[in-house]
Each structure stands twice: as structure tokens, then as C-alpha cells.
Amino acid sequence: PRTLNYTGLGDGEFYLYSCMDSSVPRYGVHLIRMTSEHLARKTVAGFPRRFQIPNPAGKFSGLIIMFSIEDHAPLALFQDAVLNRTMIGATSGIAAKYISREDSEVMALLGAGWLAPTQVIGHCAVRPIKEIRVYGPTEEHKIALCNDLEGRVDAKLIPVKSTEEAVEGADIIAYATNSYEPVFDGAMLKPGHYVGSLQVGELDDLTHDRADTITA
């Protein structure tokens, strides 16, 4: 279960406290993840997006606490950001392994921010991806992503100028955006497309309506 507690700060900014927890009985642990964030809503390339604002020291706050189920004591304290990015990339890869076509070779990556690298790594781990077309509204971000991942995966990463250019002929469409509104037109979907989304708002209604299978 997840709790999101928003406090308005004015001018499109707000404080967000987020909390989620769960047990893993086979390992004898219970974990709770907490984040404390200052967020702003801005429009970029015509799309409303969410941005994190660092604290005065330039830092972000997120913690994971792990407890022992046996004696109830705290066992460990983790910083959450890298673990969260890795977890999201891994679960996206697992979903693609069981739902996308086994011969998927071309991937469209929509978004080039914090979550994008592990989307690439996760999908390349489970499918024979040869080409990844990367679209993002910020030119330097998508070029940097392609350069940073060169040699880390076998696929060729290509920055493109539009979602249409990224999606045309792709087998897998993977989202990694911070957009509150859809960035892809579901009318472009073809039979056999696999679409992976990370947050509410990225997909339009037509994408949901045309899907044969929807999982969460």
C-alpha cells in the first residue's frame, strides 16, 4: 500500500511525503520506503511535467528501513534513489519478458531522465534488442543517455526528434517520462506492440482501449 500526502506551497509547487511498505516473509524482513520531496509543475514542449527541487544543500531525501520480522529490530537503512531506479528497470524487464514478443528487436524509449537507463538495461536483458530510438524533449538529456549507455548494452541507441519517429516500426514502446499527460498517440499502435508505462497519465485512453492485455 502507498500513501501520497501533498501540501500546496503556491505557484504550482508542493511538498510531497510518500510512504509504502511490505513484508517479504521468506527473507524474514519488513521494509518501509519514505520520500520527502519538493515538487514543481512546469510545462515543457507543451506537456505539463513534474520536477523535483533539491533542498538548499542540493540534496534529495528518500530512505528505506528494513526490520526483522523475528525480533522486530531495525536491520538496515538504505538510500532509496538508486535502488528504486534499479527496481523499476528490473520489473519493467520482467514484464517485457512475459508479455512482449520474443523476437522484439526495436525499442522506442520515450523519456531520457533518471529512470531511462535501467529501462534500457532491463529490456535488453530479456529481449534481443538491436536498436533503441530515444525521444525526450530536452536534447542534451537524450544525447547524454545514448552516450552513457554506449557499450553497456549491445543495442544501438539513436536520439530522435519525435515520438512518431521513435515508435514507427518499433516492437517495444517503453515510457520513462515525468509527464502528467500522454506523449504518444494510441492511433499509432500496431498489432504486436508491447507498451510499458511507469506512471499514471503517460498513456492516452485510446492506448488502453486498443490493448488486448493490460497488467499492473
Side-chain angles (χ1 to χ4, degrees), residues 19-170:
C19 178
M20 65 182 77
D21 69 290
S22 184
S23 290
V24 189
R26 68 181 179 275
Y27 293 129
V29 298
H30 188 96
L31 299 98
I32 181 169
R33 179 190 176 210
M34 300 171 288
T35 60
S36 176
E37 303 173 88
H38 182 180
L39 303 178
R41 183 185 177 100
K42 301 179 182 179
T43 298
V44 178
F47 294 100
R49 298 179 181 277
R50 186 181 76 170
F51 291 88
Q52 283 185 294
I53 300 175
N55 67 18
K59 304 293 185 180
F60 301 91
S61 298
L63 299 172
I64 300 172
I65 305 174
M66 183 167 68
F67 297 92
S68 166
I69 291 177
E70 181 178 354
D71 65 10
H72 324 142
L75 299 175
L77 179 68
F78 304 98
Q79 193 273 352
D80 84 305
V82 174
L83 287 176
N84 182 56
R85 179 167 68 168
T86 303
M87 176 272 293
I88 292 174
T91 53
S92 297
I94 291 170
K97 176 180 179 180
Y98 289 102
I99 303 176
S100 68
R101 300 195 324 272
E102 293 185 4
D103 62 351
S104 297
E105 295 184 345
V106 179
M107 174 176 160
L109 178 64
L110 307 182
W114 173 252
L115 297 177
T118 55
Q119 290 298 301
V120 171
I121 294 168
H123 284 84
C124 287
V126 300
R127 288 292 179 255
I129 306 295
K130 295 181 179 179
E131 178 179 297
I132 300 174
R133 302 167 190 161
V134 181
Y135 170 74
T138 306
E139 189 73 14
E140 56 266 32
H141 288 174
K142 63 186 177 185
I143 292 175
L145 176 71
C146 293
N147 292 337
D148 291 344
L149 289 172
E150 185 176 358
R152 296 181 62 185
V153 294
D154 292 333
K156 181 180 181 181
L157 285 91
I158 304 170
V160 298
K161 296 187 179 299
S162 68
T163 56
E164 291 78 12
E165 187 178 352
V167 169
E168 182 63 33

